[in-house]
């Protein structure tokens, strides 16, 4: 095919691979393609889309001819789309000189993209647009072809060793000039001063464009990263997007809107202004989306940590550093920090309170630990001691202070609302506590907070820098003296650039957060005791099971109570893991916040989960009233979080309780009719016998009365008058409908037949044996004892 024909089919080919932007066309469905289930298609897709494969060769061939392809603005992230529609150009250089107004009869705005940008836009956005695919629920995201391709592209265009490989073509395209945009009807303003790309900054210092060939290739690295960040992380409310901008730029935008308003008599600008601020993007990231972002974060740490040591002379650095080295130095603070912080805040505030939050948690913890991806290896020792965080990471911690402190408080608020008896939830608390308990990390976070809380120093020649943000180059290219004032300024610049000048900072090691930690410690203690009680209950159940347990007949079923819990299904091993996780998490929290034994003892005393006098778990917090027990707000909280519970027991007439799974329904109904007929026929005689004070009266009372309903401790908030019911002496034959009883009798008859004892004789022996047992029990019984078959 000729180049012109390839140019014509390129958009169709890209859409056929990655699917349509509206999600209707699935394409190759790379997110569901795995080597284990479809090895042939998997290997073909990876080979075809490899950075040195046929598809990328086509991209570079078209790139050399400076072809352009339209990408609809309507499919960009919400904040970017809204700002472009408002004639306000985002600060990201990816969108500069690319916005094209539609031709006559066209609909909507478009971006004029070169082939590489067009390909990567489709590749990145397919993670968002194709998220409703039904097959993705049964696929491991980390083994999919899409995940592998993301990793491959990152390693190729953001290499940790060496330089970016040149395109497989004699004419790589070099620094492709930006397309000349059509003259818009309304000129664009900008959210921020246009920071030039690293490529343009580097070429400006070169005597010739061709002096450094690497400068012509770094555009692919910068473009790839910007596209990934914009498509995957740039999703939040436009109000939050505007809050991140510096105040003097906001003033510029306001003046611009006022000028537009005066030209158009106020109405268009006023409606646009309201739409700009009322806009709220509905964005729900998936677990797969978060896993891909974590892969990006981990690789960017490795990429940034592969930076060569800076030379001693600053002047030498400015003339010898390659574009790739300069890119490594600013890749995280300039391109990732802001959007990742807002993305994490969105996830912390909107993610369901379930175990799937583990993906978000691990992505956050990966960002907090850049030292894990440093090239140097920790010294090997016989004992696996925790590795101390080096002081060289203090600058990273200070310039990412909110990532450590505010998000930690957000996690505390989530942990206080989750069921910590669940092993998966306990593991998340353990993971966070373990990371923050690394030696020297808490001290460096505290140092960063102290720098932020330092009083403002009025320095005339630096006052204007208070509003500079990382995206404007305010703290990453200046070589300031390493003084406390400059360190404090960097921390303040970070916090205010992300949260605004009116932000009320909540100290991680302050009183308010410390109280939250103490609440969490209290919940951990309660969860440990709950797990122990569940474990004890499971052990008792196993010990009491007999040969007939396969009939699902247990002591708890015999007395009409239900003491089960959903957590019983987790098993002893899971409960043991929960206890281990919570034990270590509590230990780590004590290390981080310097909690002493006295404070822990006080916390445990407040738990109020100690066993009562019968060795059973206490009831939820209640108050006694005329109508019975009434739950307090604390009691409701204890029930919702599984900290305490009522023992659900049947407290009505035992003859009328529902038929159990271990009973024969027909026999229950027949025996109930027979018992009712006998009780109605001999009621007066049984009353007379049970009222006697001699041995016969005691024997009758033992067998014909069931006073345990009166003496039973109430385990649920019910009316008092219900427990005062007494049905008097009566005969109950329901025990004969139990499968266990029936099989026991059959076995006795079967064994008796071995000794040539017939059914009648065996029945007589059983009655004599039971009569002797009843006489003995009557002699040893004190008062009216409960008895039930």
């Amino acid at each position: 095919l000729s180049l012109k024909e390839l140019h014509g089919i390129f958009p169709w080919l890209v859409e056929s691979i990655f699917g349509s932007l509206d999600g209707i066309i699935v394409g190759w469905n790379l997110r569901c393609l795995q080597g284990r289930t479809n090895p042939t298609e998997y290997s073909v897709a990876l080979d075809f889309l490899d950075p040195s494969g046929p598809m990328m060769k086509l991209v570079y061939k078209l790139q050399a001819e400076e072809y352009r392809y339209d990408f609809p603005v309507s499919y960009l992230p919400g904040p970017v789309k809204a700002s472009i529609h408002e004639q306000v150009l985002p600060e990201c250089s990816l969108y500069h000189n690319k916005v094209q107004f539609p031709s006559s009869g066209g609909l909507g705005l478009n971006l004029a993209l070169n082939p590489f940008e067009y390909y990567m836009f489709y590749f990145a956005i397919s993670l968002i647009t194709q998220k409703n695919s039904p097959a993705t629920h049964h696929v491991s995201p980390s083994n999919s072809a899409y995940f592998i391709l993301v990793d491959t592209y990152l390693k190729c265009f953001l290499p940790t060793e060496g330089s970016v490989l040149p395109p497989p073509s004699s004419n790589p395209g070099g620094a492709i000039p930006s397309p000349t945009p059509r003259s818009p009807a309304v000129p664009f303003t900008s959210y921020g001063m246009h920071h030039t790309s690293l490529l343009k900054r580097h070429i400006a210092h070169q005597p010739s464009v061709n002096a450094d060939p690497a400068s012509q290739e770094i555009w692919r690295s910068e473009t790839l990263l910007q596209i990934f960040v914009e498509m995957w992380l740039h999703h939040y409310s436009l109000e939050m997007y505007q809050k991140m901008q510096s105040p003097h730029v906001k003033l510029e935008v306001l003046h611009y809107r006022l000028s537009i308003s005066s030209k158009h008599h106020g109405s268009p600008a006023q409606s646009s202004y309201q739409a700009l601020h009322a806009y709220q993007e509905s964005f729900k990231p998936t677990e797969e989306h978060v896993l891909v972002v974590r892969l990006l974060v981990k690789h960017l740490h490795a990429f940034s940590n592969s930076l060569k040591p800076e030379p001693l002379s600053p002047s030498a650095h400015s003339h010898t550093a390659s574009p790739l080295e300069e890119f490594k130095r600013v890749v995280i603070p300039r391109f990732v920090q802001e959007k990742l912080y807002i993305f994490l805040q969105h996830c912390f505030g909107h993610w369901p309170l379930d175990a799937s939050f583990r993906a978000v948690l691990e992505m956050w913890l990966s960002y907090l630990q850049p030292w894990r991806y440093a090239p140097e290896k920790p010294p090997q020792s016989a004992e696996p001691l925790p590795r101390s965080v080096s002081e060289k990471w203090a600058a990273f911690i200070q310039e990412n202070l909110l990532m450590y402190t505010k998000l930690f408080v957000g996690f505390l608020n989530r942990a206080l609302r989750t069921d910590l008896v669940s092993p998966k939830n306990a593991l998340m608390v353990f993971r966070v506590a373990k990371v923050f308990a690394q030696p020297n990390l808490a001290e460096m976070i505290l140092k960063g907070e102290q720098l932020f809380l330092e009083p403002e120093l009025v320095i005339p020649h630096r006052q204007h820098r208070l509003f500079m943000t990382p995206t404007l180059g305010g703290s990453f290219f200046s070589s300031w003296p390493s003084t406390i004032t400059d360190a404090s300024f960097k921390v303040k610049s970070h916090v205010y650039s992300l949260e605004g000048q009116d932000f009320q900072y909540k100290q991680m090691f302050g009183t308010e957060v410390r109280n939250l930690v103490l609440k969490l410690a209290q919940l951990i203690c309660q969860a440990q005791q709950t797990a122990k009680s569940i474990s004890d209950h499971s052990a008792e159940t196993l010990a009491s099971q007999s040969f007939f347990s396969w009939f699902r007949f247990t002591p708890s079923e015999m007395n009409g109570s239900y003491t089960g819990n959903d957590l019983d299904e987790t098993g002893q091993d899971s409960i043991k893991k929960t206890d281990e996780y919570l034990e270590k998490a509590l230990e780590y929290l004590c290390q981080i916040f310097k909690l002493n034994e006295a404070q822990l003892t006080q916390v445990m005393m407040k738990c109020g989960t100690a066993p009562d006098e019968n060795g059973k778990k206490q009831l939820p917090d209640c108050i006694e009233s005329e109508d019975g027990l009434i739950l307090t707000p604390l009691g409701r909280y204890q029930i919702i979080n599984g900290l305490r519970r009522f023992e659900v027991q049947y407290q009505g007439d035992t003859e009328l309780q529902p038929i159990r799974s271990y009973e024969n329904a027909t026999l229950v109904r027949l025996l109930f009719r027979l018992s009712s007929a006998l009780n109605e026929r001999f009621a007066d005689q049984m009353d007379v016998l049970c009222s006697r004070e001699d041995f016969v009266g005691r024997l009758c009372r033992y067998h014909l009365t069931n006073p345990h309903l009166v003496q039973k401790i109430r385990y649920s908030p019910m009316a008092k008058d219900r427990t005062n019911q007494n049905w008097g002496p009566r005969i109950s034959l329901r025990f004969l409908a139990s499968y266990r009883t029936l099989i026991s009798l059959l076995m006795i008859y079967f064994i008796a037949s071995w000794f040539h004892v017939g059914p009648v004789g065996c029945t007589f022996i059983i009655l004599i044996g039971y009569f002797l047992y009843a006489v003995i029990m009557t002699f040893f019984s004190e008062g009216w004892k409960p008895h039930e078959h």
Side-chain angles (χ1 to χ4, degrees):
L1 296 178
S2 66
L3 201 59
K4 188 174 182 180
E5 291 174 325
L6 292 174
H7 165 64
I9 67 170
F10 181 69
W12 168 84
L13 180 60
V14 171
E15 189 174 87
S16 300
I17 295 173
F18 301 121
S20 59
L21 296 175
D22 54 14
I24 296 177
I25 300 176
V26 179
W28 289 6
N29 203 5
L30 297 173
R31 294 168 52 219
C32 300
L33 192 60
Q34 291 197 328
R36 182 172 52 85
T37 55
N38 304 97
T40 304
E41 294 88 341
Y42 176 81
S43 60
V44 168
L46 292 185
D47 291 340
F48 185 76
L49 301 177
D50 188 80
S52 59
M55 189 65 186
M56 291 304 295
K57 289 180 181 178
L58 172 61
V59 168
Y60 294 133
K61 186 178 293 187
L62 296 173
Q63 186 84 17
E65 299 298 323
E66 301 186 14
Y67 285 117
R68 294 293 179 267
Y69 302 92
D70 289 340
F71 187 92
V73 170
S74 58
Y75 289 102
L76 292 175
V80 179
K81 175 175 59 179
S83 64
I84 291 179
H85 285 159
E86 290 295 313
Q87 288 84 43
V88 180
L89 194 63
E91 88 283 358
C92 180
S93 61
L94 186 66
Y95 305 108
H96 295 174
N97 300 324
K98 290 186 176 67
V99 179
Q100 297 281 2
F101 277 83
S103 57
S104 58
L107 297 176
L109 298 171
N110 294 310
L111 295 181
L113 305 176
N114 63 46
F116 183 81
E117 293 169 336
Y118 187 80
Y119 174 84
M120 286 301 172
F121 260 89
Y122 262 86
F123 174 75
I125 206 170
S126 64
L127 180 65
I128 311 298
T129 57
Q130 303 292 334
K131 64 183 178 183
N132 294 326
S133 178
T136 56
H137 299 291
H138 310 288
V139 174
S140 174
S142 59
N143 295 326
S144 67
Y146 187 88
F147 194 89
I148 301 300
L149 280 173
V150 171
D151 187 48
T152 304
Y153 289 155
L154 289 175
K155 289 177 179 177
C156 176
F157 297 110
L158 300 172
T160 56
E161 296 180 359
S163 59
V164 182
L165 295 177
S169 171
S170 59
N171 183 9
I176 300 298
S178 300
T180 303
R182 301 175 185 177
S183 178
V186 179
F188 277 78
T189 184
S190 171
Y191 268 122
M193 296 185 300
H194 294 183
H195 61 277
T196 56
S197 69
L198 293 170
L199 171 63
K200 294 178 182 177
R201 287 173 53 86
H202 187 79
I203 292 178
H205 291 86
Q206 298 293 333
S208 170
V209 174
N210 296 324
D212 185 3
S215 65
Q216 301 184 30
E217 292 309 320
I218 193 176
W219 68 268
R220 290 182 297 159
S221 304
E222 189 174 349
T223 300
L224 175 87
L225 179 61
Q226 286 182 324
I227 292 174
F228 283 0
V229 170
E230 287 295 309
M231 294 298 106
W232 297 341
L233 298 180
H234 202 162
H235 299 270
Y236 37 83
S237 66
L238 193 62
E239 180 183 0
M240 178 62 70
Y241 182 67
Q242 288 181 299
K243 190 175 75 170
M244 293 191 302
Q245 313 307 318
S246 55
H248 69 278
V249 174
K250 285 186 185 179
L251 189 61
E252 176 188 342
V253 175
L254 179 60
H255 283 306
Y256 163 76
R257 288 206 176 101
L258 290 176
S259 65
I260 297 298
S261 176
S262 63
K263 293 178 182 178
H264 298 272
H265 307 286
S267 56
Q270 179 65 22
S271 60
S272 298
Y273 179 80
Q274 291 175 351
L276 186 69
H277 283 271
Y279 176 80
Q280 176 78 25
E281 184 182 17
S282 177
F283 178 62
K284 299 177 182 178
T286 62
E287 189 173 349
E288 180 188 9
H289 182 171
V290 173
L291 290 175
V292 173
V293 172
R294 187 191 179 207
L295 175 65
L296 173 66
V297 168
K298 292 166 66 176
H299 185 83
L300 289 180
H301 273 318
F303 177 69
S304 180
N305 290 335
S306 66
L307 178 68
K308 297 176 182 178
E310 295 186 9
L312 298 177
S313 172
S315 60
H317 162 71
S318 62
H319 293 287
T320 59
S322 68
L324 188 62
E325 294 298 303
E326 190 174 357
F327 187 49
K328 292 178 180 180
R329 184 174 295 105
V330 300
V331 62
I332 290 179
R334 170 180 286 188
F335 295 97
V336 178
Q337 185 191 62
E338 284 184 337
K339 295 180 177 66
L340 180 63
Y341 172 70
I342 304 300
F343 180 81
L344 282 170
Q345 270 199 316
H346 179 86
C347 291
F348 273 59
H350 297 83
W351 202 277
L353 290 171
D354 57 21
S356 65
F357 185 72
R358 175 78 186 279
V360 179
L361 188 80
E362 293 298 337
M363 186 251 289
W364 172 50
L365 296 180
S366 294
Y367 183 82
L368 298 186
Q369 304 176 86
W371 47 87
R372 289 184 57 192
Y373 312 100
E376 66 268 13
K377 298 295 182 181
Q380 297 294 332
S381 59
E383 297 181 2
L385 298 175
R387 183 185 179 188
S388 178
V389 180
S390 172
E391 285 291 336
K392 77 174 187 177
W393 300 106
F396 178 87
I397 293 171
Q398 292 166 11
E399 294 175 2
N400 291 272
L401 185 64
L402 291 176
M403 288 282 196
Y404 290 89
T405 58
K406 187 174 180 182
L407 293 183
F408 179 81
V409 176
F411 175 76
L412 281 181
N413 290 325
R414 286 185 63 93
L416 290 172
R417 292 178 291 160
T418 55
D419 179 14
L420 298 183
V421 183
S422 168
K424 294 180 180 179
N425 291 336
L427 175 60
M428 287 192 282
V429 176
F430 163 75
R431 288 283 296 124
V432 173
K434 182 180 180 181
V435 168
F436 278 84
Q438 294 177 84
N440 203 32
L441 178 57
E443 289 76 7
M444 286 194 283
I445 296 175
L446 179 60
K447 176 66 175 177
E449 288 194 321
Q450 292 171 349
L451 289 173
F452 174 75
L453 297 173
E454 278 187 359
E456 299 283 352
L457 297 178
V458 180
I459 303 177
H461 69 280
R462 284 186 183 165
Q463 287 181 10
H464 68 283
R465 294 163 73 178
L466 285 175
F467 300 125
M468 297 178 71
T469 65
T471 58
L472 305 180
S475 60
F476 306 111
F477 294 105
S478 304
S479 56
W480 300 339
S482 57
T483 62
I484 292 296
T485 303
D486 286 324
S488 175
F489 177 81
K490 288 183 180 181
V491 179
K492 294 177 189 292
S493 174
H494 155 70
V495 173
Y496 291 140
S497 67
L498 293 183
E499 291 291 347
Q501 292 285 326
D502 56 348
F503 176 59
Q504 298 295 322
Y505 182 75
K506 184 183 295 184
Q507 298 181 55
M508 177 175 167
F509 295 96
T511 305
E512 186 176 351
V513 177
R514 192 179 183 86
N515 290 335
L516 289 178
V517 173
L518 290 174
K519 286 183 180 179
L520 180 60
Q522 181 176 338
L523 284 182
I524 289 175
C525 294
Q526 292 175 338
Q528 283 180 301
Q529 295 195 15
T530 302
K532 185 178 183 304
S533 66
I534 293 174
S535 178
D536 293 342
H537 168 72
S538 300
E540 290 175 3
T541 303
L542 290 174
S544 62
Q545 285 180 343
S546 65
F547 174 78
F548 302 97
S549 61
W550 55 285
F551 284 100
R552 303 168 75 180
F553 183 77
T554 61
S556 61
E557 292 172 325
M558 293 171 61
N559 59 22
S561 66
Y562 173 75
T563 57
N565 188 290
D566 293 338
L567 296 169
D568 292 338
E569 300 177 1
T570 59
Q572 292 291 327
D573 292 338
S574 296
I575 293 174
K576 186 181 295 184
K577 286 182 180 179
T578 299
D579 189 63
E580 292 175 359
Y581 291 146
L582 295 178
E583 185 76 26
K584 295 298 293 184
L586 190 59
E587 178 184 334
Y588 288 139
L589 289 175
C590 292
Q591 294 177 15
I592 299 168
F593 293 92
K594 305 294 188 294
L595 302 179
N596 52 40
E597 289 293 333
Q599 290 172 313
L600 277 184
T601 304
Q602 186 178 6
V603 165
M604 292 182 177
M605 291 177 64
K606 288 181 179 179
C607 286
T609 54
D612 60 14
E613 64 275 6
N614 296 323
K616 299 295 183 183
K617 186 173 171 60
Q618 287 185 341
L619 300 179
D621 192 64
C622 302
I623 57 176
E624 193 82 22
S625 69
E626 295 180 356
D627 298 327
L629 300 177
I630 298 178
L631 281 171
T632 64
L634 175 60
R636 295 190 187 96
Y637 174 83
Q638 291 168 337
I639 291 178
I640 291 173
N641 288 274
L643 302 176
R644 298 185 185 181
R645 66 183 180 187
F646 290 106
E647 292 188 19
V648 182
Q649 294 184 344
Y650 180 82
Q651 299 191 6
D653 187 354
T654 54
E655 291 296 298
L656 299 177
Q657 62 182 317
I659 298 174
R660 306 302 179 87
S661 60
Y662 55 82
E663 293 178 320
N664 184 283
T666 304
L667 283 178
V668 169
R669 296 186 178 97
L670 291 175
L671 292 172
F672 174 73
R673 294 176 183 175
L674 177 60
S675 299
S676 299
L678 293 174
N679 291 329
E680 184 177 354
R681 175 69 179 80
F682 301 105
D684 295 337
Q685 291 86 336
M686 288 189 291
D687 283 335
V688 172
L689 289 173
C690 289
S691 62
R692 295 174 54 171
E693 297 298 332
D694 54 6
F695 177 77
V696 176
R698 293 174 59 193
L699 183 64
C700 292
R701 285 194 297 270
Y702 181 80
H703 287 83
L704 301 179
T705 60
N706 190 17
H708 79 286
L709 293 174
V710 180
Q711 299 176 355
K712 184 188 302 180
I713 299 175
R714 284 176 294 131
Y715 286 103
S716 61
M718 56 173 294
K720 290 184 177 181
D721 54 357
R722 285 191 182 181
T723 59
N724 293 330
Q725 298 182 23
N726 192 354
W727 287 272
R730 59 180 178 173
I731 296 172
S732 176
L733 300 177
R734 181 165 177 168
F735 72 98
L736 293 174
S738 168
Y739 289 121
R740 182 184 183 185
T741 303
L742 294 174
I743 292 181
S744 299
L745 291 174
L746 288 175
M747 291 187 65
I748 292 174
Y749 283 118
F750 179 72
I751 294 173
S753 66
W754 288 359
F755 298 96
H756 306 286
V757 179
V760 177
C762 184
T763 303
F764 181 75
I765 293 174
I766 292 174
L767 293 176
I768 293 296
Y770 180 75
F771 178 77
L772 294 175
Y773 167 79
V775 170
I776 295 173
M777 292 301 297
T778 303
F779 273 116
F780 288 98
S781 62
E782 297 179 2
W784 286 23
K785 292 284 186 178
H787 176 76
E788 186 173 351
H789 298 283

